[in-house]
Amino acid sequence: MTTQAPQDPRPSLAALSAPLVERLVAEAPVLRLGVLRVGGACVVDAGIGHPGGLEAGRRIAELCMGGLGRVTLGPVPGPAPWPFGVTVHSAQPVLACLGSQYAGWSLSHGSGKGAFFALGSGPGRALARQEALFDELAYRDTADTAAFVMEATAVPPAELIAHIAATCGIAADRLTLVLTPTQSLAGTTQVVARVLEVALHKLHALGFPLDRVVDGIGMAPLPPPGGKFLTAMGRTNDAILYGGTVHLHVTGPDGKAEDLAHRLPSSASRDHGRPFAEVFAAAKGDFYAIDPMLFSPARVTVTAIDSGRSFHGGTLAPHLVERSFRDVR
């Protein structure tokens, strides 16, 4: 008698996100998005040649979470005059954030001035499985469609599109790429909507067991978009580093939850205390010279649901958010 391995109870990110992709494309004119075909794939322009908008960014953020997250725009505590922001929630934050939303697949083509480079995020990553993280998550998705979100200012070349499709094991005409420049309305929104993902990524880097994370919610103020890339990159990072709040619900001992609350906030980093654009400039544009522990929300609450006790760490820095949102580089 043979026994069959139990089926993974976790949902298919591709299946959950497919309706979100279809609706995004169908309503592209209303959302001020462009849709074109490149190398057979569907490419959605959310800020390169078409303006996009906040609602487009909100929907793209939910797509980027593989259909396992809810993103809303509305009032959040923030420095005047920036009272609006992004709130993100997921009942499966590990899979939504690390299995889908995290920009973990490095994609490039060509060299020199005409080279293309972007980090791929979104549910298609679980089909490509080009990151060791998926072995740790013990998750593999299967589907005949794939979708990715890229912070890009140019359309990927057909050769790279063919590579992405082949790696995912699908036909190119079943691939969708959503392009969101950081300085666009949609790009700004979907980056700030990563406030929960940033917390999960640092939690993972700190070695906290992922299977103990039960639920999560986060919020951060929405920066003014536009300007040059450095301005936009600085503002979106600062919205999270100095204005972001995350509440995680975990299982396990109180001591571990308390330790996580103390180590998780951005204030635990040696580079904390200056707007990100200044930190980036001081590092001479080298991301690897920046303390990776900086990339986390300003304030966290960790609730140990076995005991019901909650632990708090970090603090908001509204003066740095205000300084960043007004700075133009």
Side-chain angles (χ1 to χ4, degrees), residues 68-202:
L68 283 175
R70 294 294 174 265
V71 179
T72 59
L73 303 177
V76 301
W82 317 107
F84 298 103
V86 182
T87 299
V88 186
H89 168 253
S90 178
Q92 296 204 35
V94 172
L95 189 56
C97 294
L98 298 184
S100 189
Q101 192 180 24
Y102 172 55
W105 189 13
S106 180
L107 295 162
S108 61
H109 180 79
S111 59
K113 190 175 181 180
F116 177 91
F117 173 80
L119 294 173
S121 59
R125 289 176 47 239
L127 292 176
R129 296 186 99 253
Q130 294 300 290
E131 307 151 53
L133 176 60
F134 284 99
D135 291 331
E136 189 172 347
L137 296 175
Y139 181 80
R140 179 186 296 274
D141 204 0
T142 57
D144 62 358
T145 62
F148 291 88
V149 175
M150 300 179 183
E151 291 179 51
T153 57
V155 176
E159 296 85 351
L160 181 58
I161 288 173
H163 168 70
I164 295 171
T167 305
C168 293
I170 63 171
D173 63 359
R174 304 290 285 170
L175 174 66
T176 300
L177 303 178
V178 183
L179 310 180
T180 62
T182 307
Q183 57 268 51
S184 68
L185 284 161
T188 296
T189 305
Q190 75 90 18
V191 172
V192 176
R194 295 172 184 266
V195 59
L196 181 60
E197 177 259 301
V198 169
L200 266 291
H201 184 257
K202 183 170 178 179

